[in-house]
Amino acid sequence: MRRTIFSYLMLAVLFTACQTATEKFPTKQEVLDKMVLTNQYFMDKWPDTGKSIVTNRERPSNIWTRAVYYEGLMELYKIKPGPAYLDYAVSWGEAHSWGLRDGVTTRNADNQCCGQTYIDLYNMEADSVRIRDIKASIDSMMVTDKIDDWDWIDALQMSMPVFAKLKVLTGDTAYSERMYDMYMDTKVTQGLWNPEDSLWWRDKDFLPPYTEPNGEDCYWSRGNGWVVAALVRVIDILPNDPHRDEYQSTLLQMLEALIPLQREDGFWGVSLHDPSHFEGPETSGTALFVYGMAWAVNNGLVDEAKYKPVIQKAWNAMAQKAVHENGFLGYLQGTGKEPKDGQPVTYTSMPDFEDYGLGCFLLGASEVYKMAE
C-alpha cells in the first residue's frame, strides 16, 4: 500500500514538473537548439540542393515548397551566421542558375517565391545574375494592367515580399504600388477576406455557401498562416510604406481572431472554425501564427501580457510534441488547400513535402528567439 501511495506521489511530482516545463517560456538557447536540430535534419537529408523533388511526379527544387524553407533558413542564418547555412543557400541558387520554374514569363506567385532568397543573397553579394530572372519576371507583370493573378491566399506570402524587396532594391515605388493593387484585388474584388470573422477564405471554392461539416465557414489554418506571414514580411521590409495601415490593421485583426481558436494543447487545427473536422494538432499553421504574434510583440504592436501566454503555449507544444529527437517535424499537414488534404496528420506521418513546414517552423522560431531571455 505504501509503495502504491509512493508511486502515485512520484507520478504527481513528475506530472507537475512536466506541466511547469511546458508552461515555461523558452530561453534563447533552447529555441536556437530546436532551430539547429530541425534544420540539420533537413540539410543532412538533402545534401544536394539542386536535386529534384520526387513525389507523385518530379519537380525542380526551386518550387515554392523549397523556397519557403529557404526563407526560414535565412532567418536562422541571421541568428547563427556561418558558412554552412550561407553556402547551402547560395548553392541552391546556383544549382538553378538563379532561375524560376517555368521561366521569366511566369506570373505564378508560387514560381516567384524563390526570388525572396535570391534577392537576400544578392544583397550580400551584388552579382546581377542572382536577381536577373526574378526581376525580369516581376517586370513582365508590371508592363501589363492585369492585377488578379493572386486568386488564392497562399500567393500573398509567395510573391508580396518579392515586390517589396524589389521596391527597396530599386527605390521604385511602382513595385510596392502594384503589390498593393494586387493585394486589394485579392482581398476586396475577389472577396477572399471576411471582415466579420477577420479571416480569409482560401480561394473562391470556399466562399459561402460552402461550409464545414459543423456548418461554419471553412478557414484553412495554413492558408491564413500564409497571409499572416505575408503581412509580417511586407511591413518588416517596408515599414514606411503609405499602405502600412492597411497591412497592419488586417494583421492585427487576424491575430486577435486567432487567439480564441487555439487548441487546449497549444496548437491550432487544420480547420479554424470546425475543430472536429480532421481534428488534431497541425504544425505549419501553428508556426506561422506564432511567427505573426511574436513579431507583433517584438515590434510593439500588441500587448505582450496578452499574447505571450498564447505564443508560449504554442511554441512549447511544437517544441515538445512535434519535434522528434532527430529533428523531424511531426504533425505537419501535406500540401493542399483545405483541411482534408495531406491527411493523416500525425506525430509520425511523413508529408509529401517536408521543406515548407520546416521553413514555417524556422520563421516562427526566429521571432520567439527575439522574445526569449
Side-chain angles (χ1 to χ4, degrees):
M1 182 65 178
R2 286 181 180 177
R3 184 175 297 176
T4 303
I5 293 172
F6 178 76
S7 298
Y8 281 128
L9 287 172
M10 287 301 296
L11 286 172
V13 169
L14 287 171
F15 179 75
T16 303
C18 289
Q19 272 196 316
T20 302
T22 301
E23 293 165 0
K24 176 178 172 289
F25 202 86
T27 65
K28 287 187 182 297
Q29 190 60 53
E30 288 170 337
V31 177
L32 181 57
D33 286 348
K34 293 297 184 183
M35 297 177 78
V36 171
L37 173 67
T38 53
N39 185 70
Q40 195 60 52
Y41 166 84
F42 184 80
M43 287 178 62
D44 289 345
K45 187 171 181 177
W46 291 88
D48 180 357
T49 56
K51 182 180 179 181
S52 294
I53 304 169
V54 180
T55 55
N56 59 326
R57 58 191 174 91
E58 184 174 345
R59 297 174 177 86
S61 66
N62 59 349
I63 60 173
W64 71 267
T65 67
R66 190 59 51 87
V68 171
Y69 159 69
Y70 280 99
E71 291 178 52
L73 178 65
M74 296 307 290
E75 293 305 312
L76 172 56
Y77 176 74
K78 291 177 186 177
I79 296 171
K80 187 179 171 63
Y85 298 154
L86 182 59
D87 291 348
Y88 195 67
V90 171
S91 71
W92 177 62
E94 290 176 342
H96 298 286
S97 301
W98 305 95
L100 318 180
R101 186 189 190 193
D102 296 338
V104 297
T105 60
T106 185
R107 299 179 67 99
N108 189 309
D110 286 348
N111 295 337
Q112 295 166 340
C113 188
C114 59
Q116 296 189 47
T117 298
Y118 292 174
I119 295 170
D120 288 345
L121 294 172
Y122 172 84
N123 289 331
M124 296 180 189
E125 184 179 324
D127 182 351
S128 61
V129 70
R130 295 185 175 188
I131 59 168
R132 177 196 60 210
D133 286 12
I134 185 58
K135 187 174 183 300
S137 177
I138 302 302
D139 286 348
S140 70
M141 297 175 70
M142 298 285 290
V143 297
T144 73
D145 295 327
K146 183 172 164 45
I147 61 171
D148 60 355
D149 296 273
W150 298 340
D151 55 11
W152 77 109
I153 59 176
D154 315 29
L156 302 183
Q157 195 286 142
M158 306 304 160
S159 196
M160 283 182 74
V162 175
F163 281 78
K165 288 172 185 283
L166 285 174
K167 188 276 174 186
V168 172
L169 189 64
T170 64
D172 189 348
T173 58
Y175 290 110
S176 52
E177 288 301 310
R178 174 57 64 90
M179 174 185 70
Y180 174 75
D181 290 343
M182 294 180 71
Y183 160 82
M184 290 302 290
D185 179 84
T186 304
K187 182 180 183 182
V188 178
T189 306
Q190 298 185 48
L192 299 186
W193 164 253
N194 184 1
E196 293 183 10
D197 291 329
S198 297
L199 294 169
W200 298 67
W201 293 292
R202 197 270 182 179
D203 57 49
K204 64 180 177 58
D205 291 343
F206 301 97
L207 294 172
Y210 185 97
T211 60
E212 290 283 77
N214 69 349
E216 290 280 341
D217 285 2
C218 179
Y219 299 118
W220 181 43
S221 182
R222 187 165 66 235
N224 278 271
W226 291 136
V227 182
V228 167
L231 296 173
V232 163
R233 292 174 76 74
V234 166
I235 299 168
D236 212 33
I237 297 163
L238 299 175
N240 300 313
D241 188 83
H243 306 295
R244 174 177 176 144
D245 286 349
E246 160 59 35
Y247 302 137
Q248 182 171 309
S249 173
T250 302
L251 173 64
L252 297 186
Q253 289 176 65
M254 291 185 70
L255 299 184
E256 181 74 19
L258 287 165
I259 292 177
L261 304 180
Q262 186 179 29
R263 292 163 47 94
E264 188 61 35
D265 60 11
F267 289 90
W268 280 266
V270 292
S271 180
L272 294 175
H273 275 203
D274 189 349
S276 65
H277 193 209
F278 294 98
E279 59 186 337
E282 202 286 306
T283 300
S284 63
T286 299
L288 292 169
F289 298 151
V290 166
Y291 178 47
M293 290 180 180
W295 181 87
V297 169
N298 291 330
N299 286 272
L301 302 184
V302 295
D303 179 10
E304 181 173 355
K306 179 177 180 178
Y307 278 86
K308 188 173 182 178
V310 180
I311 296 165
Q312 175 178 300
K313 189 175 183 180
W315 169 260
N316 286 335
M318 291 190 294
Q320 296 169 18
K321 300 173 186 175
V323 179
H324 289 227
E325 288 187 7
N326 67 351
F328 173 76
L329 273 178
Y331 298 116
L332 179 62
Q333 185 185 17
T335 54
K337 59 184 282 184
E338 60 179 302
K340 74 176 179 60
D341 294 331
Q343 296 289 341
V345 179
T346 69
Y347 178 66
T348 57
S349 59
M350 175 71 70
D352 51 355
F353 296 83
E354 292 180 81
D355 40 15
Y356 63 85
L358 175 56
C360 297
F361 182 78
L362 294 175
L363 288 173
S366 69
E367 291 298 327
V368 175
Y369 177 89
K370 295 172 188 176
M371 284 183 65
E373 296 296 331

